[in-house]
Amino acid sequence: MKYVDEFRDGDLAKNIAANIAGEAHAGRAYRLMEFCGGHTHAISRYGLADLLPPNVRMIHGPGCPVCVLPIGRIDQAIRLAREQDVILCTYADTVRVPASANLSLMRAKAGGADVRMIYSTQDALKIARDNPQREVVFLAIGFETTTPPTAVAIRQAAAEGLKNFSILCDHVLTPAAMHAILAVEGGVALDGFVGPAHVSTVIGSKPYEPFADDYHKPVVIAGFEPLDVMQAILMLVRQVNDGRAAVENEFTRAVTREGNLKAQELVAEVFELRDAFEWRGLGSVPHSALKLRPQFAAFDAEQKFKVDYVAVPDNKACECAAILRGQKRPQECKIFGTVCTPENPVGSCMVSSEGACAAHYSYGRFRETA
Amino acid sequence: MCLAIPARIEELTTPGNAIVNLGGVRKEISLALVDDAAVGEYVIVHVGYALQKLDQEEAERTLQLFAEMGQLDELREELTGGAA
Protein backbone atom coordinates (compact mmCIF):
# COMPACT_ATOMS: atom_id res chain seq x y z
CA MET A 1 0.00 0.00 0.00
CA LYS A 2 1.39 3.38 -0.97
CA TYR A 3 3.11 5.29 1.87
CA VAL A 4 2.55 2.43 4.31
CA ASP A 5 4.61 -0.51 3.07
CA GLU A 6 7.65 1.62 2.29
CA PHE A 7 7.86 2.54 5.97
CA ARG A 8 7.94 -1.13 7.03
CA ASP A 9 11.13 -2.26 5.28
CA GLY A 10 12.85 -4.78 7.55
CA ASP A 11 16.36 -4.26 6.17
CA LEU A 12 16.15 -0.53 6.69
CA ALA A 13 14.88 -1.09 10.23
CA LYS A 14 17.93 -3.24 10.99
CA ASN A 15 20.08 -0.51 9.55
CA ILE A 16 18.61 2.14 11.83
CA ALA A 17 18.90 -0.33 14.72
CA ALA A 18 22.62 -0.72 13.97
CA ASN A 19 22.98 3.05 14.09
CA ILE A 20 21.17 3.19 17.44
CA ALA A 21 23.39 0.43 18.85
CA GLY A 22 26.47 2.17 17.52
CA GLU A 23 25.58 5.58 18.87
CA ALA A 24 24.02 4.72 22.27
CA HIS A 25 26.76 5.00 24.89
CA ALA A 26 27.25 1.67 26.62
CA GLY A 27 27.71 3.30 30.02
CA ARG A 28 24.34 5.00 30.24
CA ALA A 29 20.66 4.13 30.16
CA TYR A 30 18.20 5.75 27.76
CA ARG A 31 14.66 5.76 29.11
CA LEU A 32 12.32 6.91 26.35
CA MET A 33 8.57 7.20 26.71
CA GLU A 34 6.31 6.65 23.75
CA PHE A 35 3.33 8.70 24.89
CA CYS A 36 0.94 7.39 22.31
CA GLY A 37 -0.80 4.01 22.24
CA GLY A 38 -0.30 3.84 18.48
CA HIS A 39 3.44 3.71 19.03
CA THR A 40 3.05 1.13 21.81
CA HIS A 41 1.13 -1.00 19.36
CA ALA A 42 3.78 -0.58 16.62
CA ILE A 43 6.68 -1.32 19.00
CA SER A 44 5.03 -4.54 20.20
CA ARG A 45 3.64 -5.67 16.87
CA TYR A 46 6.89 -5.28 14.95
CA GLY A 47 9.12 -6.44 17.81
CA LEU A 48 11.04 -3.16 17.77
CA ALA A 49 12.18 -3.58 21.39
CA ASP A 50 14.20 -6.60 20.22
CA LEU A 51 16.09 -4.40 17.77
CA LEU A 52 17.23 -2.02 20.51
CA PRO A 53 20.31 -2.42 22.70
CA PRO A 54 19.48 -3.33 26.32
CA ASN A 55 20.30 0.15 27.61
CA VAL A 56 17.67 1.79 25.35
CA ARG A 57 14.35 1.08 27.04
CA MET A 58 10.91 2.10 25.86
CA ILE A 59 8.39 3.06 28.53
CA HIS A 60 4.71 2.98 27.61
CA GLY A 61 2.91 6.25 28.30
CA PRO A 62 -0.73 7.02 28.96
CA GLY A 63 -1.66 7.95 25.39
CA CYS A 64 -4.47 5.46 24.82
CA PRO A 65 -7.85 7.15 25.23
CA VAL A 66 -9.62 3.98 26.30
CA CYS A 67 -6.92 3.23 28.89
CA VAL A 68 -7.00 6.62 30.59
CA LEU A 69 -10.79 6.83 30.91
CA PRO A 70 -11.74 6.20 34.54
CA ILE A 71 -14.42 3.65 35.46
CA GLY A 72 -16.84 6.37 36.60
CA ARG A 73 -17.05 7.76 33.07
CA ILE A 74 -18.13 4.40 31.62
CA ASP A 75 -20.61 4.08 34.50
CA GLN A 76 -22.19 7.36 33.42
CA ALA A 77 -22.73 6.01 29.91
CA ILE A 78 -24.14 2.73 31.22
CA ARG A 79 -26.55 4.62 33.51
CA LEU A 80 -27.77 6.64 30.54
CA ALA A 81 -28.33 3.55 28.42
CA ARG A 82 -30.00 1.48 31.14
CA GLU A 83 -31.96 4.03 33.14
CA GLN A 84 -32.82 6.74 30.63
CA ASP A 85 -33.42 4.48 27.63
CA VAL A 86 -31.15 6.43 25.29
CA ILE A 87 -29.42 5.00 22.24
CA LEU A 88 -25.81 5.09 23.39
CA CYS A 89 -23.31 5.33 20.52
CA THR A 90 -19.61 4.77 20.99
CA TYR A 91 -16.36 3.78 19.29
CA ALA A 92 -15.84 0.02 19.36
CA ASP A 93 -12.87 -0.01 21.78
CA THR A 94 -14.96 1.47 24.56
CA VAL A 95 -17.62 -1.22 24.81
CA ARG A 96 -15.43 -3.78 26.58
CA VAL A 97 -13.92 -1.50 29.24
CA PRO A 98 -14.80 -2.95 32.65
CA ALA A 99 -17.10 -0.68 34.66
CA SER A 100 -18.67 -0.94 38.12
CA ALA A 101 -20.83 -3.89 39.24
CA ASN A 102 -19.13 -6.28 36.83
CA LEU A 103 -20.65 -4.38 33.92
CA SER A 104 -19.34 -3.01 30.65
CA LEU A 105 -21.21 -1.33 27.83
CA MET A 106 -21.18 -4.67 26.03
CA ARG A 107 -22.71 -6.46 29.02
CA ALA A 108 -25.27 -3.67 29.40
CA LYS A 109 -26.15 -4.23 25.74
CA ALA A 110 -26.50 -7.97 26.35
CA GLY A 111 -28.88 -7.04 29.18
CA GLY A 112 -31.12 -5.08 26.83
CA ALA A 113 -29.61 -1.58 26.77
CA ASP A 114 -29.44 0.03 23.34
CA VAL A 115 -25.68 0.38 22.87
CA ARG A 116 -24.40 0.80 19.32
CA MET A 117 -20.84 0.70 18.05
CA ILE A 118 -20.11 3.34 15.47
CA TYR A 119 -17.11 4.12 13.26
CA SER A 120 -17.67 7.85 12.80
CA THR A 121 -19.59 10.72 14.42
CA GLN A 122 -21.48 10.86 11.11
CA ASP A 123 -22.98 7.45 11.97
CA ALA A 124 -24.22 8.81 15.33
CA LEU A 125 -25.88 11.76 13.58
CA LYS A 126 -27.57 9.40 11.14
CA ILE A 127 -28.93 7.27 13.99
CA ALA A 128 -30.35 10.44 15.57
CA ARG A 129 -31.98 11.51 12.29
CA ASP A 130 -33.42 8.02 11.76
CA ASN A 131 -34.83 7.79 15.31
CA PRO A 132 -36.49 11.17 16.01
CA GLN A 133 -38.55 9.66 18.84
CA ARG A 134 -35.46 8.45 20.75
CA GLU A 135 -32.63 10.31 22.49
CA VAL A 136 -29.21 9.53 21.00
CA VAL A 137 -26.07 10.08 23.09
CA PHE A 138 -22.55 9.80 21.70
CA LEU A 139 -19.90 8.82 24.24
CA ALA A 140 -17.21 11.16 22.91
CA ILE A 141 -13.80 10.00 24.04
CA GLY A 142 -10.30 10.51 22.72
CA PHE A 143 -7.39 12.88 22.38
CA GLU A 144 -7.00 15.74 19.91
CA THR A 145 -7.53 13.39 16.96
CA THR A 146 -11.13 12.47 17.73
CA THR A 147 -12.12 15.89 19.07
CA PRO A 148 -12.42 17.70 15.70
CA PRO A 149 -14.82 15.03 14.32
CA THR A 150 -16.98 15.52 17.43
CA ALA A 151 -16.88 19.30 16.89
CA VAL A 152 -18.03 18.83 13.28
CA ALA A 153 -20.93 16.67 14.47
CA ILE A 154 -22.03 19.23 17.09
CA ARG A 155 -21.95 22.02 14.52
CA GLN A 156 -23.95 19.89 12.09
CA ALA A 157 -26.50 18.95 14.76
CA ALA A 158 -26.90 22.64 15.70
CA ALA A 159 -27.28 23.66 12.05
CA GLU A 160 -29.89 20.94 11.43
CA GLY A 161 -31.75 21.69 14.65
CA LEU A 162 -31.32 18.07 15.74
CA LYS A 163 -32.95 18.04 19.17
CA ASN A 164 -32.44 14.38 20.12
CA PHE A 165 -28.63 14.30 19.84
CA SER A 166 -26.13 14.99 22.62
CA ILE A 167 -22.67 13.92 23.75
CA LEU A 168 -21.03 12.73 26.95
CA CYS A 169 -17.83 14.69 26.52
CA ASP A 170 -14.67 12.90 27.66
CA HIS A 171 -12.20 14.50 25.26
CA VAL A 172 -8.75 14.90 26.81
CA LEU A 173 -5.58 16.81 25.98
CA THR A 174 -2.13 15.39 25.29
CA PRO A 175 0.14 18.24 26.49
CA ALA A 176 -1.69 18.40 29.84
CA ALA A 177 -1.06 14.69 30.42
CA MET A 178 2.62 15.06 29.52
CA HIS A 179 2.88 17.92 32.02
CA ALA A 180 1.25 15.70 34.64
CA ILE A 181 3.79 12.92 34.04
CA LEU A 182 6.75 15.28 34.26
CA ALA A 183 5.41 17.20 37.24
CA VAL A 184 4.94 14.09 39.42
CA GLU A 185 7.35 14.24 42.34
CA GLY A 186 9.62 11.23 42.44
CA GLY A 187 7.97 10.31 39.16
CA VAL A 188 9.33 8.53 36.15
CA ALA A 189 12.94 9.16 35.18
CA LEU A 190 12.67 9.97 31.49
CA ASP A 191 15.25 10.98 28.91
CA GLY A 192 12.80 11.93 26.20
CA PHE A 193 9.48 11.41 24.45
CA VAL A 194 8.47 9.88 21.17
CA GLY A 195 5.73 12.41 20.41
CA PRO A 196 2.30 11.39 19.08
CA ALA A 197 1.73 11.02 15.36
CA HIS A 198 -1.88 11.78 14.61
CA VAL A 199 -2.50 14.05 17.58
CA SER A 200 0.32 16.17 16.18
CA THR A 201 -1.23 16.32 12.72
CA VAL A 202 -3.98 18.32 14.44
CA ILE A 203 -2.14 20.35 17.14
CA GLY A 204 1.23 20.63 15.36
CA SER A 205 4.66 20.37 16.99
CA LYS A 206 4.52 23.74 18.75
CA PRO A 207 2.65 22.61 21.92
CA TYR A 208 5.58 20.31 22.80
CA GLU A 209 8.12 23.13 22.94
CA PRO A 210 7.63 23.74 26.70
CA PHE A 211 8.75 20.15 27.40
CA ALA A 212 12.04 20.84 25.65
CA ASP A 213 12.45 24.41 26.93
CA ASP A 214 11.16 24.13 30.52
CA TYR A 215 11.68 20.46 31.42
CA HIS A 216 14.71 19.89 29.18
CA LYS A 217 13.22 16.73 27.72
CA PRO A 218 13.77 16.04 24.02
CA VAL A 219 10.63 15.31 22.00
CA VAL A 220 10.69 13.67 18.56
CA ILE A 221 7.33 13.47 16.83
CA ALA A 222 7.11 10.22 14.89
CA GLY A 223 4.77 8.47 12.51
CA PHE A 224 3.24 5.10 13.44
CA GLU A 225 5.15 2.89 11.02
CA PRO A 226 8.08 0.85 12.37
CA LEU A 227 10.75 2.82 10.49
CA ASP A 228 9.29 6.07 11.82
CA VAL A 229 9.56 4.83 15.39
CA MET A 230 13.11 3.50 14.94
CA GLN A 231 14.24 6.75 13.33
CA ALA A 232 12.68 8.77 16.17
CA ILE A 233 14.53 6.64 18.75
CA LEU A 234 17.80 7.29 16.90
CA MET A 235 17.05 11.04 16.86
CA LEU A 236 16.33 10.94 20.62
CA VAL A 237 19.55 9.03 21.37
CA ARG A 238 21.47 11.67 19.42
CA GLN A 239 19.83 14.52 21.34
CA VAL A 240 20.58 12.84 24.67
CA ASN A 241 24.21 12.25 23.63
CA ASP A 242 24.58 15.89 22.63
CA GLY A 243 22.93 17.11 25.84
CA ARG A 244 20.27 18.82 23.73
CA ALA A 245 16.53 19.10 24.36
CA ALA A 246 14.59 20.19 21.30
CA VAL A 247 11.35 19.35 19.54
CA GLU A 248 12.20 17.51 16.33
CA ASN A 249 9.78 16.22 13.75
CA GLU A 250 10.31 12.89 12.05
CA PHE A 251 6.75 12.88 10.71
CA THR A 252 7.13 15.85 8.35
CA ARG A 253 4.91 14.16 5.78
CA ALA A 254 1.88 14.93 7.93
CA VAL A 255 2.91 17.25 10.78
CA THR A 256 3.75 20.94 10.63
CA ARG A 257 4.68 23.26 13.50
CA GLU A 258 1.24 24.88 13.41
CA GLY A 259 -0.86 21.75 12.80
CA ASN A 260 -4.31 21.71 11.22
CA LEU A 261 -5.60 25.23 11.87
CA LYS A 262 -9.04 24.50 10.45
CA ALA A 263 -9.51 21.63 12.91
CA GLN A 264 -8.17 23.73 15.79
CA GLU A 265 -10.61 26.57 15.00
CA LEU A 266 -13.56 24.19 14.93
CA VAL A 267 -12.57 22.68 18.28
CA ALA A 268 -12.12 26.15 19.82
CA GLU A 269 -15.54 27.20 18.57
CA VAL A 270 -17.34 24.24 20.13
CA PHE A 271 -15.29 23.35 23.24
CA GLU A 272 -13.66 25.06 26.20
CA LEU A 273 -11.30 23.82 28.93
CA ARG A 274 -12.58 21.93 31.94
CA ASP A 275 -11.09 23.13 35.23
CA ALA A 276 -9.98 19.58 36.00
CA PHE A 277 -10.58 16.04 34.78
CA GLU A 278 -9.88 12.73 36.45
CA TRP A 279 -7.59 10.38 34.51
CA ARG A 280 -7.00 6.75 35.23
CA GLY A 281 -3.46 6.54 36.53
CA LEU A 282 -2.81 10.26 36.71
CA GLY A 283 -5.60 11.35 39.05
CA SER A 284 -7.22 14.75 38.67
CA VAL A 285 -5.27 16.86 36.17
CA PRO A 286 -6.05 20.59 35.86
CA HIS A 287 -7.06 21.90 32.43
CA SER A 288 -6.59 18.49 30.86
CA ALA A 289 -9.94 17.96 29.18
CA LEU A 290 -12.68 19.74 27.26
CA LYS A 291 -16.36 20.48 27.74
CA LEU A 292 -18.94 22.02 25.44
CA ARG A 293 -19.18 25.81 25.39
CA PRO A 294 -22.36 27.22 27.03
CA GLN A 295 -23.96 28.01 23.65
CA PHE A 296 -23.91 24.27 22.86
CA ALA A 297 -25.31 23.23 26.29
CA ALA A 298 -28.35 21.66 24.60
CA PHE A 299 -25.99 18.99 23.24
CA ASP A 300 -24.37 18.22 26.61
CA ALA A 301 -25.76 14.90 27.86
CA GLU A 302 -24.40 15.50 31.38
CA GLN A 303 -26.65 18.56 31.70
CA LYS A 304 -29.54 17.23 29.66
CA PHE A 305 -29.90 13.99 31.65
CA LYS A 306 -28.36 15.09 34.95
CA VAL A 307 -25.87 12.22 35.11
CA ASP A 308 -23.10 13.32 37.42
CA TYR A 309 -19.65 11.80 37.39
CA VAL A 310 -18.98 9.62 40.42
CA ALA A 311 -15.36 8.56 40.97
CA VAL A 312 -14.86 4.81 41.39
CA PRO A 313 -11.62 3.18 42.61
CA ASP A 314 -9.87 0.75 40.26
CA ASN A 315 -9.71 -2.99 40.95
CA LYS A 316 -7.11 -3.42 43.73
CA ALA A 317 -5.14 -6.15 41.96
CA CYS A 318 -4.90 -4.12 38.73
CA GLU A 319 -1.70 -2.18 38.08
CA CYS A 320 -3.05 -0.11 35.17
CA ALA A 321 -2.44 3.14 37.05
CA ALA A 322 1.28 2.46 37.61
CA ILE A 323 1.64 1.13 34.05
CA LEU A 324 0.03 4.27 32.61
CA ARG A 325 2.47 6.40 34.60
CA GLY A 326 5.39 4.38 33.18
CA GLN A 327 6.33 3.11 36.65
CA LYS A 328 5.56 -0.56 36.05
CA ARG A 329 5.63 -2.88 33.06
CA PRO A 330 2.63 -5.07 32.13
CA GLN A 331 4.45 -8.26 33.13
CA GLU A 332 4.98 -6.85 36.61
CA CYS A 333 1.22 -6.94 37.30
CA LYS A 334 0.16 -10.05 39.26
CA ILE A 335 -2.98 -10.64 37.23
CA PHE A 336 -1.39 -10.00 33.80
CA GLY A 337 -2.08 -12.87 31.42
CA THR A 338 -3.79 -14.97 34.10
CA VAL A 339 -6.95 -13.33 35.40
CA CYS A 340 -6.61 -10.39 33.04
CA THR A 341 -6.49 -11.19 29.30
CA PRO A 342 -7.75 -9.43 26.16
CA GLU A 343 -10.76 -11.81 26.18
CA ASN A 344 -11.54 -10.95 29.81
CA PRO A 345 -9.87 -7.65 30.64
CA VAL A 346 -9.82 -6.52 34.26
CA GLY A 347 -8.02 -3.25 33.59
CA SER A 348 -8.31 -0.75 30.78
CA CYS A 349 -4.74 -1.33 29.52
CA MET A 350 -5.83 -4.81 28.43
CA VAL A 351 -8.83 -3.61 26.43
CA SER A 352 -7.66 -1.62 23.43
CA SER A 353 -5.02 -3.10 21.13
CA GLU A 354 -3.10 0.11 21.83
CA GLY A 355 -3.05 -0.52 25.57
CA ALA A 356 0.35 -1.47 27.00
CA CYS A 357 -0.94 -4.75 28.47
CA ALA A 358 -2.89 -5.85 25.40
CA ALA A 359 0.07 -5.04 23.15
CA HIS A 360 2.47 -6.97 25.35
CA TYR A 361 0.01 -9.88 25.69
CA SER A 362 -0.53 -10.14 21.94
CA TYR A 363 3.03 -9.74 20.74
CA GLY A 364 5.59 -9.80 23.53
CA ARG A 365 4.73 -12.12 26.39
CA PHE A 366 6.60 -15.20 25.14
CA ARG A 367 9.74 -13.15 24.60
CA GLU A 368 10.13 -12.81 28.36
CA THR A 369 10.32 -16.56 28.90
CA ALA A 370 12.32 -17.40 25.78
CA MET B 1 -8.62 3.71 18.13
CA CYS B 2 -5.79 6.05 17.13
CA LEU B 3 -4.75 3.73 14.37
CA ALA B 4 -5.19 5.65 11.15
CA ILE B 5 -3.52 5.17 7.81
CA PRO B 6 -2.93 7.18 4.68
CA ALA B 7 -5.54 6.60 2.03
CA ARG B 8 -5.83 7.84 -1.55
CA ILE B 9 -8.81 9.98 -2.52
CA GLU B 10 -10.48 8.25 -5.46
CA GLU B 11 -13.64 10.26 -5.93
CA LEU B 12 -15.24 13.42 -4.57
CA THR B 13 -18.87 12.70 -3.71
CA THR B 14 -21.38 15.00 -2.01
CA PRO B 15 -19.85 18.35 -0.98
CA GLY B 16 -17.31 17.74 1.76
CA ASN B 17 -17.17 13.97 1.30
CA ALA B 18 -14.93 11.64 -0.65
CA ILE B 19 -14.43 7.97 -1.40
CA VAL B 20 -10.99 6.79 -0.31
CA ASN B 21 -9.17 3.54 -0.92
CA LEU B 22 -7.99 1.90 2.29
CA GLY B 23 -5.86 -0.98 1.06
CA GLY B 24 -8.44 -2.07 -1.47
CA VAL B 25 -11.51 -1.19 0.60
CA ARG B 26 -13.46 1.80 -0.68
CA LYS B 27 -15.03 3.94 2.01
CA GLU B 28 -16.78 7.29 2.16
CA ILE B 29 -15.15 9.78 4.51
CA SER B 30 -15.64 13.42 5.47
CA LEU B 31 -13.30 16.15 4.23
CA ALA B 32 -14.69 18.71 6.71
CA LEU B 33 -11.29 19.13 8.41
CA VAL B 34 -9.08 19.67 5.34
CA ASP B 35 -9.14 22.28 2.61
CA ASP B 36 -8.88 21.63 -1.12
CA ALA B 37 -8.28 17.89 -1.03
CA ALA B 38 -8.25 16.58 -4.60
CA VAL B 39 -8.55 13.21 -6.31
CA GLY B 40 -5.21 11.40 -6.26
CA GLU B 41 -4.01 13.03 -3.05
CA TYR B 42 -3.34 11.04 0.11
CA VAL B 43 -5.05 11.92 3.39
CA ILE B 44 -4.65 10.47 6.87
CA VAL B 45 -8.02 8.98 7.77
CA HIS B 46 -9.20 8.66 11.35
CA VAL B 47 -12.71 7.75 12.56
CA GLY B 48 -14.18 8.60 9.17
CA TYR B 49 -12.52 12.00 8.75
CA ALA B 50 -9.44 13.14 6.85
CA LEU B 51 -7.28 14.70 9.58
CA GLN B 52 -4.54 16.07 7.37
CA LYS B 53 -3.25 15.83 3.84
CA LEU B 54 -0.15 13.71 3.40
CA ASP B 55 2.72 15.61 1.84
CA GLN B 56 4.04 13.23 -0.82
CA GLU B 57 7.27 15.17 -1.28
CA GLU B 58 8.01 14.98 2.44
CA ALA B 59 7.16 11.28 2.45
CA GLU B 60 9.64 10.69 -0.39
CA ARG B 61 12.23 12.81 1.42
CA THR B 62 11.89 10.75 4.61
CA LEU B 63 12.25 7.52 2.62
CA GLN B 64 15.27 9.01 0.90
CA LEU B 65 16.78 9.77 4.33
CA PHE B 66 16.38 6.13 5.36
CA ALA B 67 17.95 4.99 2.10
CA GLU B 68 20.89 7.38 2.44
CA MET B 69 21.47 6.14 5.96
CA GLY B 70 21.79 2.65 4.52
CA GLN B 71 24.38 3.80 2.00
CA LEU B 72 26.33 5.63 4.69
CA ASP B 73 26.43 2.45 6.71
CA GLU B 74 27.73 0.45 3.80
CA LEU B 75 30.37 3.11 3.28
CA ARG B 76 31.31 2.99 6.94
CA GLU B 77 31.51 -0.79 6.84
CA GLU B 78 33.83 -0.60 3.86
CA LEU B 79 36.02 1.95 5.60
CA THR B 80 36.23 0.03 8.86
CA GLY B 81 36.39 -3.43 7.33
CA GLY B 82 32.86 -4.36 8.35
CA ALA B 83 33.23 -3.53 12.02
CA ALA B 84 30.65 -0.75 12.09
Side-chain angles (χ1 to χ4, degrees):
Chain A
M1 206 187 312
K2 190 76 175 158
Y3 299 122
V4 176
D5 294 340
E6 300 98 316
F7 289 90
R8 294 180 179 175
D9 186 310
D11 288 336
L12 285 178
K14 283 184 197 135
N15 218 330
I16 303 173
N19 278 297
I20 294 171
E23 293 186 32
H25 298 161
R28 68 158 299 165
Y30 299 79
R31 292 169 56 89
L32 309 175
M33 176 177 272
E34 86 274 6
F35 178 87
C36 186
H39 288 134
T40 304
H41 183 84
I43 288 166
S44 298
R45 179 172 178 185
Y46 297 103
L48 300 186
D50 288 342
L51 296 175
L52 300 175
N55 57 333
V56 177
R57 193 185 137 194
M58 301 309 292
I59 297 161
H60 310 304
C64 158
V66 173
C67 304
V68 295
L69 199 65
I71 290 173
R73 292 278 165 198
I74 305 284
D75 285 353
Q76 265 181 311
I78 292 175
R79 286 212 305 278
L80 274 178
R82 294 177 89 198
E83 296 163 17
Q84 312 246 18
D85 196 35
V86 309
I87 301 175
L88 199 285
C89 303
T90 185
Y91 294 131
D93 279 358
T94 320
V95 298
R96 294 195 307 124
V97 181
S100 297
N102 209 19
L103 275 172
S104 63
L105 280 164
M106 191 180 262
R107 285 184 181 157
K109 182 181 170 74
D114 198 344
V115 175
R116 302 190 192 180
M117 283 179 262
I118 55 161
Y119 169 66
S120 166
T121 55
Q122 292 299 319
D123 301 338
L125 287 178
K126 184 172 187 306
I127 291 170
R129 283 183 210 113
D130 292 347
N131 296 274
Q133 74 291 359
R134 297 278 305 276
E135 284 289 339
V136 175
V137 178
F138 171 55
L139 174 54
I141 83 159
F143 285 92
E144 291 88 339
T145 38
T146 47
T147 312
T150 306
V152 171
I154 294 288
R155 280 235 315 204
Q156 254 175 287
E160 290 176 29
L162 213 51
K163 298 261 186 282
N164 63 330
F165 176 77
S166 58
I167 66 164
L168 256 181
C169 184
D170 290 328
H171 284 303
V172 288
L173 302 170
T174 302
M178 287 172 73
H179 273 294
I181 291 167
L182 290 170
V184 168
E185 249 184 85
V188 197
L190 283 180
D191 296 298
F193 285 99
V194 176
H198 297 135
V199 161
S200 307
T201 63
V202 175
I203 66 173
S205 65
K206 199 172 154 190
Y208 305 101
E209 289 168 8
F211 305 112
D213 298 342
D214 303 343
Y215 292 100
H216 302 287
K217 300 291 179 194
V219 179
V220 176
I221 294 155
F224 280 150
E225 297 305 332
L227 288 184
D228 291 321
V229 180
M230 291 300 287
Q231 176 69 12
I233 293 170
L234 177 60
M235 290 163 80
L236 282 169
V237 166
R238 284 177 179 167
Q239 282 206 45
V240 172
N241 286 348
D242 296 347
R244 287 187 298 126
V247 176
E248 293 179 328
N249 183 7
E250 184 279 337
F251 199 34
T252 49
R253 62 190 187 276
V255 172
T256 60
R257 183 167 180 266
E258 303 300 329
N260 183 339
L261 294 173
K262 189 176 184 184
Q264 290 171 29
E265 279 163 21
L266 267 165
V267 169
E269 183 193 323
V270 173
F271 296 102
E272 61 185 16
L273 279 180
R274 280 184 194 257
D275 292 336
F277 189 82
E278 191 185 336
W279 294 58
R280 195 189 289 241
L282 299 178
S284 181
V285 182
H287 304 128
S288 65
L290 299 172
K291 61 181 180 182
L292 285 165
R293 287 191 178 277
Q295 62 264 42
F296 295 103
F299 300 100
D300 184 346
E302 274 185 85
Q303 292 185 41
K304 196 170 180 179
F305 301 98
K306 313 253 179 310
V307 274
D308 290 333
Y309 170 70
V310 181
V312 178
D314 288 333
N315 185 311
K316 276 190 191 137
C318 171
E319 297 278 12
C320 274
I323 291 164
L324 288 167
R325 288 194 301 267
Q327 289 166 329
K328 283 200 173 167
R329 294 196 272 182
Q331 57 271 42
E332 288 165 358
C333 175
K334 280 197 201 81
I335 56 172
F336 172 81
T338 53
V339 178
C340 183
T341 62
E343 290 75 35
N344 183 29
V346 173
S348 55
C349 296
M350 193 57 102
V351 175
S352 163
S353 64
E354 293 146 52
C357 294
H360 186 69
Y361 186 92
S362 301
Y363 303 114
R365 76 197 137 115
F366 296 119
R367 220 179 58 220
E368 300 298 321
T369 52
Chain B
M1 60 182 283
C2 278
L3 300 180
I5 51 171
R8 187 175 175 277
I9 296 179
E10 296 208 324
E11 192 183 328
L12 298 174
T13 51
T14 50
N17 286 313
I19 304 264
V20 292
N21 192 327
L22 287 154
V25 178
R26 278 163 58 87
K27 188 157 182 63
E28 184 159 35
I29 61 147
S30 167
L31 297 176
L33 301 172
V34 291
D35 283 322
D36 310 322
V39 170
E41 286 190 303
Y42 285 81
V43 286
I44 291 182
V45 179
H46 181 60
V47 294
Y49 288 78
L51 280 187
Q52 184 70 283
K53 287 200 275 189
L54 188 112
D55 188 323
Q56 295 188 35
E57 272 181 34
E58 283 293 334
E60 301 294 350
R61 203 171 305 174
T62 306
L63 289 168
Q64 187 64 35
L65 178 84
F66 296 149
E68 278 169 16
M69 206 180 288
Q71 285 166 3
L72 279 178
D73 263 20
E74 281 160 25
L75 194 67
R76 200 190 301 164
E77 271 179 47
E78 273 175 36
L79 290 173
T80 58

